[in-house]
């Protein structure tokens, strides 16, 4: 009974805190002038508050703190010393990301220093593994737990499991940093339409939570993090659905991207599930990095060449584009969860999804002068 209450309590607490804090944050942002003004690269037509991510972070952190109380009430929810350390590393990295991203929202910081902070925060998540590469026994007695948050191994069709730790601990560190930094920027890049980033993150969080709860044995405490993230994003959608009253800003996008990246790693890497549920924005990001670089532009340069912008230019409304993203995330997230689909079938589904997105990107060129 207490386990069920905890699993429901984490998202509900995150939802309540975010929902309560967002309205005063809207008023504060308007009073202080923390707004995004309309422009050629933007789709909104009125100055809109841009630091809504602070409410998401507050809801998420409050739910995490509450989850520490849950484990005092039921031994089933007790965490190991490794899990407590990982929560601490997450909160430290999240605080740094939030602080610098808030400054970026207010003062428009240069790209390279921001990237350095993203990498630094990812290294904080890796934590003690940087100097202690030992893998300790997990709950089942298998040597798979590191002191930090690290991608030590992941499943892959035909190869079964690839052990990065065995190949090289430094390869595992590099892959972890690449993953966390990539997830931060992926969420930031889809934060271009009302409700898009928050909604996709909500779906991804729920899929990851279901994944952890359907494992044998279920990872009850691990599920609390994506559940809390989903609850905070669900509350933010009350104010961010089109027409949005507030945007999450970089402070929100980078923070939930950082958290989402870590959600996919703790308790064993769930990369296949995440790649499926986030397949569309991940392929879009990879394509933009490639085309911008080949075109002689910085990959970090903002523009209206994202997939969601091209779909708008095709004549779809904001709500229709966002609904397409939601539908694909739910459909492919289900493929990642259901045992009916073998690893090979999931790989084929991912290839089909990626190919379809690439065909759309090739067929829908951005309007001249706005990319």
């Amino acid at each position: 009974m207490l386990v069920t209450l905890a699993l429901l309590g984490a998202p509900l607490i995150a939802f309540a805190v975010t929902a309560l804090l967002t309205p005063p944050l809207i008023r504060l942002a308007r009073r202080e002038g923390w707004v995004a003004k309309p422009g050629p690269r933007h789709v909104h037509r009125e100055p809109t508050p841009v630091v809504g991510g602070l409410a998401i972070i507050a809801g998420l952190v409050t739910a995490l703190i509450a989850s520490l109380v849950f484990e005092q009430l039921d031994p089933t929810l007790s965490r190991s010393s490794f899990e407590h350390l990982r929560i601490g590393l997450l909160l430290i990295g999240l605080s740094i990301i939030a602080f610098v991203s808030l400054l970026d929202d207010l003062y428009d910081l240069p790209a390279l220093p921001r990237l350095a902070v993203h990498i630094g925060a990812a290294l904080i998540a890796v934590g003690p593994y940087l100097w202690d590469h030992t893998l300790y026994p997990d709950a089942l007695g298998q040597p798979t737990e590191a002191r930090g948050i690290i991608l030590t191994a992941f499943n892959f069709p035909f190869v079964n499991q690839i052990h990065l730790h065995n190949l090289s601990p430094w390869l595992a560190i590099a892959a972890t940093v690449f993953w966390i930094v990539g997830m931060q920027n992926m969420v930031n890049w889809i934060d271009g339409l009302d409700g898009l980033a928050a909604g996709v993150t909500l779906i991804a969080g729920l899929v990851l939570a279901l994944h952890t709860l359907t494992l044998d044995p279920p990872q009850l405490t691990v599920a609390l993090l994506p559940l809390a993230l989903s609850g905070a994003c669900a509350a933010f959608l009350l104010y961010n659905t089109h027409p949005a009253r507030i945007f999450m800003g970089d402070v929100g996008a980078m923070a939930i991207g950082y958290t989402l990246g870590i959600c996919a790693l703790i308790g064993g890497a769930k990369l296949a599930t995440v790649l499926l549920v986030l397949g569309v924005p991940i392929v879009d990001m990879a394509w933009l990095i490639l085309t911008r670089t080949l075109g002689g532009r910085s990959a970090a340069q903002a523009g209206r060449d994202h997939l969601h912008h091209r779909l708008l230019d095709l004549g779809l409304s904001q709500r229709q584009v966002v609904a397409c993203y939601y539908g694909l995330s739910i459909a492919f997230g289900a493929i990642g969860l259901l045992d009916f689909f073998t690893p090979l079938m999931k790989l084929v589904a991912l290839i089909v999804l990626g190919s379809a997105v690439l065909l759309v990107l090739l067929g829908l060129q951005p309007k001249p002068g706005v990319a």
Side-chain angles (χ1 to χ4, degrees):
M1 182 64 178
L2 287 177
V3 172
T4 303
L5 290 176
L7 293 175
L8 293 175
L12 288 176
I13 290 170
F15 183 95
V17 171
T18 302
L20 290 172
L21 289 182
T22 302
L25 192 58
I26 293 174
R27 295 192 291 270
L28 174 65
R30 289 195 181 281
R31 185 171 67 247
E32 298 296 330
W34 301 339
V35 297
K37 297 179 180 179
R41 292 189 296 101
H42 305 294
V43 298
H44 63 283
R45 299 180 179 179
E46 299 290 338
T48 305
V50 74
V51 291
L54 292 174
I56 298 176
I57 295 169
L60 172 64
V61 172
T62 303
L64 280 180
I65 294 173
S67 73
L68 297 176
V69 178
F70 297 154
E71 66 178 292
Q72 303 300 319
L73 303 176
D74 191 327
T76 310
L77 295 169
S78 62
R79 292 183 171 97
S80 67
S81 59
F82 288 96
E83 290 181 282
H84 285 129
L85 175 61
R86 289 169 194 149
I87 290 176
L89 295 172
L90 166 64
L91 292 176
I92 294 171
L94 184 63
S95 300
I96 294 172
I97 287 291
F99 177 72
V100 174
S101 298
L102 177 60
L103 292 179
D104 183 40
D105 282 327
L106 301 181
Y107 304 109
D108 196 17
L109 302 180
L112 285 180
R114 284 187 283 121
L115 178 60
V117 171
H118 300 162
I119 294 173
L123 287 172
I124 287 173
V126 172
Y129 185 82
L130 288 168
W131 59 84
D132 178 9
H133 303 326
T134 306
L135 290 187
Y136 297 89
D138 61 10
L140 299 177
Q142 299 298 316
T144 56
E145 285 203 304
R147 292 191 183 277
I149 301 167
I150 189 75
L151 176 59
T152 57
F154 60 92
N155 292 323
F156 194 82
F158 303 118
V159 183
N160 193 16
Q161 194 170 64
I162 298 177
H163 293 270
L164 294 177
H165 171 86
N166 294 341
L167 294 174
S168 168
W170 294 105
L171 178 60
I173 292 171
T176 303
V177 171
F178 178 81
W179 174 261
I180 295 176
V181 172
M183 291 297 289
Q184 291 178 68
N185 287 276
M186 182 276 296
V187 174
N188 189 44
W189 280 15
I190 63 170
D191 185 30
L193 298 182
D194 297 347
L196 182 55
V200 169
T201 302
L202 164 62
I203 295 167
L206 290 176
V207 169
L208 280 171
L210 288 172
H211 186 140
T212 60
L213 292 173
T214 54
L215 293 174
D216 186 18
Q219 299 176 334
L220 299 175
T221 55
V222 172
L224 294 174
L225 177 58
L227 284 173
L229 179 62
S230 296
C233 288
F236 189 68
L237 283 173
L238 298 175
Y239 309 93
N240 185 238
T241 301
H242 184 71
R245 296 170 55 193
I246 188 170
F247 299 148
M248 67 173 63
D250 279 5
V251 64
M254 292 298 182
I256 65 176
Y258 182 79
T259 307
L260 190 58
I262 289 175
C263 286
L265 298 180
I266 58 175
K270 305 167 182 68
L271 302 193
T273 300
V274 176
L275 288 174
L276 281 166
V277 73
L278 299 175
V280 174
I282 288 175
V283 173
D284 184 35
M285 180 177 69
W287 177 255
L288 288 177
I289 292 173
L290 177 64
T291 54
R292 288 178 180 179
T293 303
L294 293 178
R297 294 188 294 148
S298 168
Q301 178 182 341
R304 270 188 58 99
D305 48 350
H306 296 271
L307 174 62
H308 52 265
H309 289 136
R310 300 188 195 197
L311 292 173
L312 283 179
D313 295 338
L314 187 64
L316 297 179
S317 68
Q318 281 206 54
R319 289 182 180 273
Q320 288 172 330
V321 174
V322 171
C324 287
Y325 272 76
Y326 287 2
L328 288 170
S329 294
I330 293 171
F332 282 87
I335 292 175
L337 287 174
L338 296 176
D339 291 335
F340 169 79
F341 297 97
T342 65
L344 176 58
M345 294 168 68
K346 293 177 182 180
L347 177 63
V348 171
L350 183 60
I351 293 173
V352 170
L353 177 62
S355 301
V357 174
L358 286 176
L359 287 174
V360 173
L361 287 168
L362 286 169
L364 298 178
Q365 297 302 315
K367 286 186 178 180
V370 296

